[in-house]
Amino acid sequence: MPKTTILVGLDGTEQGDKVLEFAKTRLGQIDDCLLLICYVIEWSPFAFQTAEENEKRHARREEELRVAQERIIDPAVSQVAAEGYTVKGIVQHGHAAEVLEAIASEYGASQIVIGRHSARSVREHVFGSVSVRLAASSPVPVTIIP
């Protein structure tokens, strides 16, 4: 395993391009570095659903993982790998801040790089954005790209 690991959280928007470009500049400055590119599909185990929805939940979850892998992670990983960097892609369900923290700990990441977004929903106004939560609780430094 490389000596240094940088975790990048993508969100499927153009902001992710800026985040990835910043991370690549860091990669160019560090020898023997792994770039983990992660996309988190927000998924709450506490969502209220009907019996019919619960029956389809697993299939829907697997389809979301597949689509995110094909549309977001695979192109980003291919691009970074083509530039000669060591890279791995990860797609998971969960709360983005919690998942990114867990992945950072699991892989021994030295830094998390994410994009900043203004709060877009009532949930974010009440519970805080991913960037705010990570900045407050991350086990490693967090770089937030405007």
Side-chain angles (χ1 to χ4, degrees):
M1 186 179 227
K3 295 177 189 169
T4 304
T5 300
I6 297 174
L7 173 59
V8 171
L10 296 184
D11 64 359
T13 68
E14 290 179 16
Q15 178 78 19
D17 295 338
K18 291 169 58 176
V19 170
L20 200 53
E21 284 304 313
F22 176 84
K24 287 192 301 186
T25 64
R26 296 282 293 139
L27 290 175
Q29 300 167 349
I30 303 169
D31 290 333
D32 199 17
C33 187
L34 169 66
L35 183 65
L36 292 174
I37 301 175
C38 183
Y39 180 77
V40 181
I41 301 168
E42 288 288 332
W43 186 268
S44 172
F46 306 109
F48 296 103
Q49 297 189 17
T50 66
E52 294 83 22
E53 288 172 326
N54 281 333
E55 289 176 16
K56 297 177 184 174
R57 187 173 190 179
H58 179 73
R60 187 175 72 238
R61 183 176 188 267
E62 294 302 312
E63 176 65 10
E64 288 174 345
L65 289 169
R66 184 190 63 73
V67 169
Q69 184 74 40
E70 289 176 1
R71 293 186 184 169
I72 298 167
I73 294 299
D74 287 347
V77 167
S78 294
Q79 173 197 357
V80 173
E83 294 177 30
Y85 299 111
T86 304
V87 61
K88 177 178 178 165
I90 300 169
V91 179
Q92 289 189 9
H93 275 100
H95 184 277
E98 293 170 3
V99 170
L100 291 172
E101 286 175 2
I103 291 171
S105 294
E106 177 183 348
Y107 285 88
S110 60
Q111 179 180 19
I112 299 173
V113 182
I114 57 170
R116 179 197 68 197
H117 292 280
S118 59
R120 297 175 298 230
S121 68
V122 172
R123 181 180 181 277
E124 286 181 352
H125 282 296
V126 174
F127 297 110
S129 69
V130 172
S131 58
V132 170
R133 288 192 60 187
L134 274 174
S137 63
S138 174
V140 298
V142 177
T143 300
I144 302 169
I145 306 301

